[in-house]
Amino acid sequence: MLDRRTFLAGPALAAFGNMARAADEAWAALARGGHAALMRHAQTVPGTGDPPGFRLEDCSTQRNLSEAGRAAAARLGGAYRERGVRVARVLSSQWCRCLDTGTALGLARVEAAPEALNSFFDARGEAQRSTAALRALLSALPAEGTVAVLVTHQVNITALTGIFPAMGETLVLRLDAAQGFPVAGRIAGG
């Protein structure tokens, strides 16, 4: 006879197993090439958006990574190396939380890509222009060989994919512009 805990744990364990298999498939897609990693910045200090009057050139005026976010990004960078995913480029929004996430990954020198990856949270009228720039950036990435990691914000990812990612989560996109860069998998931020 099954007790209540066993009855309730069964579906939870099955769901966890399905998520782990899905993450393994996402990692395998990255390792094969023909995909890019679109990542929301790692965990920040509590809040939404940035304080009024923030300035991109002054990290002290922005909502920044928490220590847990830095550690999670470093672990994710280790997972790239452990899984043999060769990263050639790390492109980032100019926001400090994104640049710091890219740096903590420790995979490649971080390059700013403001037109495609900067947040339009406070400028919703920029959504179409920014999303078009992100599509153009993805279209220009090589489909074979090494991978690019793009660190950006929730609004940018949601505008492109319709998915609301958690902080630190990565969406693995197939580099297929004709199909709209379909999501091949998701990797939790940890």
Side-chain angles (χ1 to χ4, degrees):
M1 179 170 171
L2 294 175
D3 70 13
R4 178 182 163 97
R5 287 177 298 202
T6 303
F7 178 76
L8 294 175
L13 289 173
F16 180 76
N18 289 340
M19 289 185 333
R21 276 189 297 284
D24 286 343
E25 291 171 11
W27 282 112
L30 282 174
R32 279 193 308 273
H35 293 79
L38 184 62
M39 179 183 184
R40 182 177 178 191
H41 59 77
Q43 184 71 41
T44 65
V45 297
T48 301
D50 286 286
F54 79 93
R55 296 182 313 281
L56 284 180
E57 66 279 358
D58 185 354
C59 293
S60 70
T61 66
Q62 300 175 33
R63 183 169 52 95
N64 292 299
L65 291 185
S66 65
E67 287 307 313
R70 288 180 197 284
R75 284 191 305 274
L76 183 61
Y80 274 89
R81 288 183 289 280
E82 289 168 13
R83 292 175 178 269
V85 177
R86 297 176 312 148
V87 175
R89 298 177 77 187
V90 176
L91 302 166
S92 176
S93 159
Q94 291 177 300
W95 265 252
C96 295
R97 58 184 169 268
C98 293
L99 293 166
D100 291 346
T101 297
T103 299
L105 290 170
L107 299 170
R109 184 177 65 81
V110 180
E111 306 168 54
E115 296 82 20
L117 300 175
N118 275 7
S119 175
F120 53 82
F121 183 79
D122 289 329
R124 299 298 170 126
E126 294 295 312
Q128 285 186 332
R129 184 199 58 76
S130 180
T131 304
L134 179 52
R135 284 190 181 103
L137 174 62
L138 289 166
S139 293
L141 295 175
E144 300 300 323
T146 58
V147 169
V149 176
L150 289 70
V151 185
T152 189
H153 307 266
Q154 172 271 311
V155 292
N156 302 68
I157 295 170
T158 302
L160 180 71
T161 67
I163 295 171
F164 192 110
M167 285 189 211
E169 184 174 6
T170 300
L171 275 61
V172 176
L173 304 180
R174 192 173 67 211
L175 292 175
D176 183 347
Q179 296 295 315
F181 307 103
V183 176
R186 296 168 77 165
I187 299 168

